[in-house]
Amino acid sequence: MPKRKSSTFAQGADSTPGLIHMPSFDHLLPRPAKRRASQRKQTHASPEPSSMNPDINSEVLDGPEALRASPDAEEKDETLDVDKIEGGTATHIKDEEDTVPSLVTGGGSESSLSDMSDVEPPLNQKPQTAKSTTKKAQKMPSTVQAKNVESREPQFLDPEADGEEEADEEEIQAALSRPPPVHSNYLPLPWKGRLGYACLCTYLRFSNPPVFSSRTCRIASILENRHPLKNPEEPPHATKNRPDRDQPANIARGQAFVESLGVANAKDIVKMLRWNERYGIRFLRLSSEMFPFASHEEYGYKLAPFASGALAEAGKVAGELGHRLTTHPGQFTQLGSPRKSVIDNALRDLEYHSELLSLLKLPPQQDRDAVMILHLGGVFGDKEATLERFRENYKRLSPDIKKRLVLENDDVSWSVHELLPLCEELNIPMVLDFHHNNIIFDSEHIREGSKDIMDLYPRILATWKRKNITPKMHYSEPTPAAITGRQRRKHNPRVATLPPCPPDMDLMIEAKDKEQAVFELMRTFKLPGFDTFNDMLPHVRKDDNKPVKIPKKKTPRKKKAKKEDDDALEAAEEPLDAEEEEFIQAVIPEEEVGMGGPEGRVYWPPGMEDWLRPVKKVVKKRDPADRAKPLTPAQKRKAAAEAAESAVRLEADVNEDGEVDAAAIATPTPAKKAKATPKSSTRKAAAPKKNARSVQTPSISDDEASGDAPPTEDESTPVAKKPRAAPARQSVRAKKISYIEEDGE
């Protein structure tokens, strides 16, 4: 999943969004393309925006809900930073977020969350201290204070957000005073159910090409792509061939752009299903952002007929493999809101999810199991009135939505004891979330933990059996450092144990690490499929067709061959001059790309998410004191010649016999470099040199300057002995090989 929290939505800060209903759309269009650093080295020179890869196409984004295990909350890290946009209004991708300011920015919102008049401050604001809160309370009437205490509701938080939530002293003291949880010691072993994860497979997301089903975009991109390209004969390009806004816009052209994203998402489901099957995972939650803006009030569209084929193919594969597919509409889809606009948006969103699941054409039982999980939403100051509004709006739903809709207890407002009677009344299955139940529960009936909630299993499971739907539950765990209720809502990247659920349950693991959290459970309890995968090699993938470029080794300068050279010497020089062959990776079949290879190396240990990406090149700054200029080849040759000359002089001093080295005679060299021979101060010392030339004694060449052959000396020439021992002799071949390597650097 990049960390996935540093997602592509940070690009929003590079554009200047505005209201989409303005007569002119110039302010909506992004600034000139600012190339985003790719998460892996590109294999081609010029990326094309027509590609569905968000790593190389700035118009394609990662869906925010797919990056989270549960789309129950707003994520501050993926919200546009309005402080960095002059005069801009932050816009989001889902329905209400595109037409009105975001709740996080402090503006009004069509979302029912804005009806909470007494909510806590947004996360990006500094929380009030206990002292400031006390002063503020003293200025308020006592009736208002009591109302605030009773109806105060915290905002929805993202359970997968990075960083720790801040808490004031009062929250910490209240959390520390709560009784310890009481957990059951029952483990559902041997396991016979199905484990699943939500929306995104981290391993496939960073494969080449990436495989995921949450590509989305901005409304500005849809509006821009309504215009034809500046050069229709050339492919689109982020900077060189963008849409020409001076030409007339065509709505169908922009619609084709957003539909292409949805089709690409639907086609990738097949790959994800086959990947899951290989590693024993048969439960998957589909991303709600598979078809961007499909439920939007102005830019919405039906999925049929353009996506019917791709979805039917995905449903066919799921039916053959026996996999379960579900969806989870986001936090803004609420049927208990007092606002009509929120209800209308929720109805459109549910219709979209219902059409998506229907077009899968699943077998009968799998089609019944393809449910839509929904939260009841806010309280709006009166729980009874909210429940009544839900009952009235539930009657307006189509039969297909009613047969798929299920309710889940949340970690903000609604406990199991408040939701279960409503589900029994309206014949709606109820999803039990163990993690939410440990935060919001009725302390008059049960204690915190997993033990007491087991007494409600018969009633919960009965809501599923009445509709002949396979039950499902959700499980996640808080982070170890969490103390307050707000902090405990954050999901731990992985879970450590199984909940005390029936052993044949379909269990959705809601964790940041997605499929890796399922693998962790498989390894811990030796569940079916634990032996199908192995640890990844850090930063290495052997299941991609990405070209592997190995830099060629620098070839040493080849010396001119001499007719007098020995054949053995030529054979010794040959390997040095031969170039290293470039490695060519075998082509992997398309169906095996990204599947982990024959060894199944798809597991990365906790905290090692960076293993999914190539190694980052880190340029280390050199210490100015250690900055020594490297020697040039000429300087290296000069230093070698000086060292060789010193060695020759030393051997000339210790060689009292004046014999000529046989190896030096076997390898004659030109006489033009005889100047390198150490000169003697007497004429008598030069006479033996002439005699040596008469018997083909070679003069010292560049090769012999390395100390290979000592010069001849007259026996009568007095030689001053030095106490130092002579260095060990080395063969001519060894010196030549060493000399050539230094010369070629």
Side-chain angles (χ1 to χ4, degrees):
M1 134 205 14
K3 290 185 177 179
R4 292 183 302 279
K5 294 304 167 186
S6 56
S7 67
T8 54
F9 291 93
Q11 298 176 30
D14 297 334
S15 61
T16 308
L19 298 178
I20 60 175
H21 300 292
M22 296 293 291
S24 174
F25 299 108
D26 293 347
H27 60 289
L28 283 171
L29 299 177
R31 293 177 180 176
K34 183 178 180 180
R35 285 300 175 90
R36 178 167 57 90
S38 174
Q39 295 172 339
R40 58 169 64 235
K41 185 179 179 180
Q42 303 298 333
T43 59
H44 49 277
S46 57
E48 297 181 0
S50 58
S51 171
M52 295 296 106
N53 185 356
D55 296 335
I56 61 177
N57 187 356
S58 59
E59 293 183 353
V60 180
L61 308 175
D62 274 325
E65 290 185 0
L67 303 178
R68 303 190 287 267
S70 178
D72 305 337
E74 192 67 38
E75 181 167 356
K76 61 179 181 179
D77 291 343
E78 293 174 351
T79 303
L80 298 183
D81 189 355
V82 293
D83 296 334
K84 297 180 180 180
I85 304 176
E86 298 181 0
T89 302
T91 57
H92 297 263
I93 291 184
K94 294 302 287 184
D95 302 333
E96 300 85 346
E97 300 170 307
D98 290 314
T99 56
V100 293
S102 167
L103 177 66
V104 178
T105 63
S109 175
E110 292 295 327
S111 168
S112 55
L113 296 179
S114 62
D115 294 335
M116 302 180 188
S117 58
D118 301 313
V119 297
E120 293 182 359
L123 299 180
N124 55 359
Q125 296 182 5
K126 185 177 181 180
Q128 296 180 348
T129 61
K131 185 175 181 180
S132 61
T133 305
T134 305
K135 291 182 178 180
K136 185 177 180 180
Q138 293 176 354
K139 299 179 181 180
M140 298 172 61
S142 59
T143 56
V144 177
Q145 295 182 30
K147 180 180 178 182
N148 287 344
V149 172
E150 294 177 0
S151 61
R152 186 184 184 191
E153 303 175 45
Q155 288 186 350
F156 290 101
L157 306 176
D158 177 27
E160 268 75 55
D162 290 332
E164 297 296 335
E165 297 295 337
E166 297 181 0
D168 56 31
E169 186 177 353
E170 293 180 1
E171 287 181 312
I172 295 177
Q173 292 300 326
L176 294 177
S177 63
R178 80 178 196 275
V182 182
H183 294 293
S184 171
N185 60 359
Y186 170 75
L187 283 175
L189 300 176
W191 180 256
K192 301 177 183 178
R194 292 178 288 194
L195 296 177
Y197 62 93
C199 305
L200 181 75
C201 176
T202 63
Y203 186 85
L204 287 177
R205 173 59 185 86
F206 292 99
S207 64
N208 184 41
V211 177
F212 64 112
S213 61
S214 55
R215 299 171 183 85
T216 186
C217 64
R218 294 183 290 264
I219 289 182
S221 298
I222 301 177
L223 300 177
E224 185 180 26
N225 280 274
R226 290 180 175 180
H227 300 274
L229 296 174
K230 293 183 178 180
N231 188 357
E233 298 179 357
E234 297 291 334
H237 192 274
T239 56
K240 299 178 181 178
N241 194 20
R242 296 185 62 84
D244 188 0
R245 289 183 289 163
D246 296 333
Q247 300 186 31
N250 187 342
I251 296 178
R253 189 181 292 110
Q255 184 63 26
F257 165 74
V258 71
E259 288 178 359
S260 65
L261 296 176
V263 172
N265 289 333
K267 289 181 177 179
D268 277 358
I269 298 177
V270 176
K271 186 81 169 186
M272 296 173 67
L273 292 174
R274 297 195 183 280
W275 193 93
N276 290 345
E277 174 68 18
R278 175 170 293 191
Y279 300 107
I281 302 176
R282 296 179 176 86
F283 188 11
L284 177 66
R285 177 187 296 167
L286 299 179
S287 172
S288 296
E289 294 162 337
M290 188 181 302
F291 296 92
F293 305 104
S295 61
H296 196 273
E297 181 179 6
E298 181 178 354
Y299 302 100
Y301 50 90
K302 293 293 183 181
L303 307 184
F306 78 92
S308 300
L311 289 174
E313 179 64 23
K316 179 182 177 182
V317 175
E320 293 174 352
L321 301 177
H323 289 207
R324 183 173 188 175
L325 301 176
T326 62
T327 59
H328 195 332
Q331 62 176 359
F332 296 104
T333 305
Q334 301 187 26
L335 295 177
S337 172
R339 290 192 178 187
K340 181 181 181 299
S341 59
V342 174
I343 300 301
D344 293 340
N345 292 336
L347 294 177
R348 287 195 310 271
D349 198 41
L350 292 176
E351 288 287 351
Y352 153 66
H353 284 84
S354 175
E355 184 184 11
L356 189 156
L357 295 174
S358 299
L359 290 177
L360 292 172
K361 305 297 181 183
L362 294 167
Q365 183 58 48
Q366 289 176 268
D367 186 58
R368 285 192 295 270
D369 294 344
V371 295
M372 302 183 298
I373 302 97
L374 192 67
H375 291 288
L376 193 57
V379 175
F380 314 108
D382 190 345
K383 285 191 173 182
E384 289 300 326
T386 301
L387 291 174
E388 186 60 31
R389 286 191 298 269
F390 181 88
R391 294 185 183 97
E392 293 298 325
N393 293 322
Y394 182 76
K395 298 177 182 179
R396 301 171 55 184
L397 302 179
S398 64
D400 189 71
I401 295 179
K402 287 183 178 180
K403 79 174 185 179
R404 299 186 185 278
L405 188 67
V406 300
L407 292 178
E408 176 191 358
N409 61 306
D410 59 59
D411 57 357
V412 177
S413 305
W414 300 96
S415 67
V416 174
H417 284 86
E418 294 169 323
L419 210 58
L420 186 55
L422 179 67
C423 293
E424 294 173 332
E425 174 189 348
L426 300 178
N427 193 21
I428 301 175
M430 178 186 164
V431 177
L432 171 62
D433 190 302
F434 289 91
H435 177 60
H436 294 170
N437 180 69
N438 288 333
I439 300 175
I440 300 295
F441 60 93
D442 191 342
S443 59
E444 296 181 359
H445 295 85
I446 62 174
R447 296 167 293 180
E448 178 185 344
S450 59
K451 184 175 182 179
D452 293 353
I453 194 63
M454 296 177 68
D455 297 337
L456 295 179
Y457 280 4
R459 292 178 59 186
I460 294 174
L461 297 178
T463 61
W464 295 88
K465 294 179 181 179
R466 281 197 291 265
K467 286 190 171 182
N468 194 22
I469 302 176
T470 305
K472 70 186 293 286
M473 294 181 177
H474 294 175
Y475 184 69
S476 55
E477 294 175 356
T479 57
I483 299 177
T484 67
R486 175 189 291 264
Q487 292 172 339
R488 288 189 293 133
R489 293 174 196 150
K490 180 180 178 181
H491 292 170
N492 206 33
R494 303 192 186 186
V495 295
T497 187
L498 287 168
C501 62
D504 59 348
M505 180 63 60
D506 285 350
L507 189 63
M508 175 60 63
I509 305 300
E510 294 186 323
K512 176 184 175 182
D513 287 350
K514 307 295 183 176
E515 82 287 351
Q516 301 297 322
V518 177
F519 288 160
E520 203 71 39
L521 284 176
M522 288 182 175
R523 281 193 168 184
T524 302
F525 297 101
K526 299 299 184 289
L527 304 183
F530 80 95
D531 55 348
T532 60
F533 56 88
N534 292 293
D535 290 10
M536 288 184 60
L537 298 175
H539 314 290
V540 176
R541 286 177 180 256
K542 296 184 178 181
D543 57 355
D544 286 348
N545 281 324
K546 181 180 179 181
V548 179
K549 295 183 178 180
I550 298 180
K552 294 182 179 180
K553 186 178 180 181
K554 292 184 178 180
T555 306
R557 295 180 181 178
K558 191 172 182 180
K559 294 185 65 177
K560 294 183 179 180
K562 303 174 180 60
K563 296 181 180 180
E564 299 84 357
D565 288 349
D566 189 46
D567 293 339
L569 183 59
E570 294 180 1
E573 290 181 352
E574 218 168 40
L576 295 175
D577 298 331
E579 294 185 0
E580 184 177 351
E581 295 183 0
E582 186 173 0
F583 174 74
I584 300 176
Q585 181 176 340
V587 177
I588 301 174
E590 182 65 27
E591 60 273 9
E592 292 297 325
V593 173
M595 300 300 287
E599 298 175 340
R601 293 186 175 274
V602 296
Y603 171 85
W604 46 274
M608 296 293 104
E609 188 178 0
D610 61 321
W611 284 13
L612 296 168
R613 306 174 181 88
V615 181
K616 293 183 178 179
K617 294 183 179 180
V618 179
V619 180
K620 295 183 179 180
K621 294 183 178 180
R622 300 170 66 182
D623 190 353
D626 298 338
R627 289 182 180 177
K629 293 183 179 180
L631 297 177
T632 63
Q635 291 174 335
K636 291 180 180 180
R637 289 194 296 269
K638 182 177 180 181
E642 291 177 354
E645 186 176 354
S646 301
V648 169
R649 289 175 179 173
L650 180 60
E651 290 196 11
D653 293 339
V654 300
N655 190 359
E656 300 178 351
D657 300 334
E659 297 179 355
V660 181
D661 190 2
I665 299 177
T667 310
T669 52
K672 61 181 180 180
K673 291 189 178 181
K675 60 183 179 180
T677 305
K679 297 181 180 180
S680 178
S681 58
T682 60
R683 296 182 180 180
K684 194 172 184 179
K689 183 175 180 182
K690 294 182 180 180
N691 296 335
R693 292 187 64 180
S694 63
V695 293
Q696 298 184 352
T697 300
S699 62
I700 296 178
S701 62
D702 287 346
D703 296 332
E704 293 163 334
S706 303
D708 297 332
T712 58
E713 295 287 346
D714 195 308
E715 295 181 358
S716 61
T717 303
V719 178
K721 294 185 179 180
K722 295 184 180 181
R724 291 183 299 175
R729 288 181 176 271
Q730 296 182 1
S731 65
V732 178
R733 179 181 303 174
K735 282 299 180 178
K736 285 209 169 191
I737 293 175
S738 175
Y739 177 76
I740 295 176
E741 287 179 351
E742 293 179 355
D743 190 26
E745 292 180 356

